[in-house]
Amino acid sequence: MEVVIVSNNVHKIRELREMFKSLMHVDILSLHQFPKYQPLQEEGKTFQENALAKAKHAAEHLKVWVLADDSGLVVPKLEGAPGVRSRRYAGEDATDAENRKLLLNNMQGMSGLERAAYYECSLALVSPDGFEKC
């Protein structure tokens, strides 16, 4: 059985392959094997919405089982920001350094538990015939 990870992020692909290596009958592929596929733009309001939308889109177009994710940093005191926009927090083409700088600027004046944050990740598994699990 083949499962395609809906990502071009080599670190994420390596990590997921490591997690699934004990499943002998599952071959983990990535979008590197499907260079013509154009991933869906993230437009959901939650990590779960984004993961499921990406997985459904990829399964429909690639006709294979797919595993998609969406994740990011959530700072409750900043009303959940950067949240689903973690990768694009400082702008569509922002670097990690620019995103961190904006986050730290937005947290100025906060101390103690006000600076609390957590990482959230949602995974969605979808088959080409419509089975989905999120």
Side-chain angles (χ1 to χ4, degrees):
M1 175 184 179
E2 293 180 339
V3 176
V4 175
I5 298 169
V6 184
S7 180
N8 284 306
N9 180 319
V10 293
H11 302 291
K12 185 182 297 183
I13 295 163
R14 187 178 307 131
E15 185 177 21
L16 287 167
R17 280 186 175 145
E18 180 67 24
M19 291 169 66
F20 285 97
K21 75 179 181 183
S22 65
L23 301 175
M24 306 239 186
H25 302 294
V26 178
D27 292 323
I28 302 296
L29 305 176
S30 73
L31 292 184
H32 293 288
Q33 284 84 25
F34 301 90
K36 293 182 180 182
Y37 173 70
Q38 292 296 314
L40 185 69
Q41 291 290 91
E42 297 174 355
E43 296 180 353
K45 291 184 170 112
T46 68
F47 296 110
Q48 186 173 357
E49 286 176 9
N50 281 336
L52 190 55
K54 288 190 290 188
K56 284 179 174 181
H57 185 268
E60 178 183 325
H61 287 81
L62 300 176
K63 308 294 187 222
V64 294
W65 282 81
V66 299
L67 180 66
D69 81 301
D70 194 37
S71 60
L73 187 67
V74 177
V75 181
K77 186 69 175 178
L78 295 178
E79 298 178 10
V84 295
R85 297 204 35 88
S86 290
R87 188 175 46 83
R88 304 173 303 281
Y89 190 50
E92 290 299 318
D93 297 318
T95 64
D96 289 344
E98 291 168 330
N99 287 327
R100 282 191 304 270
K101 183 178 179 182
L102 178 60
L103 178 60
L104 291 172
N105 285 341
N106 289 341
M107 293 177 74
Q108 283 185 350
M110 295 167 53
S111 63
L113 290 178
E114 291 178 317
R115 296 180 67 86
Y118 60 91
Y119 182 78
E120 184 171 333
C121 179
S122 288
L123 293 172
L125 179 68
V126 176
S127 74
D129 63 358
F131 170 84
E132 58 186 61
K133 186 68 176 170
C134 194

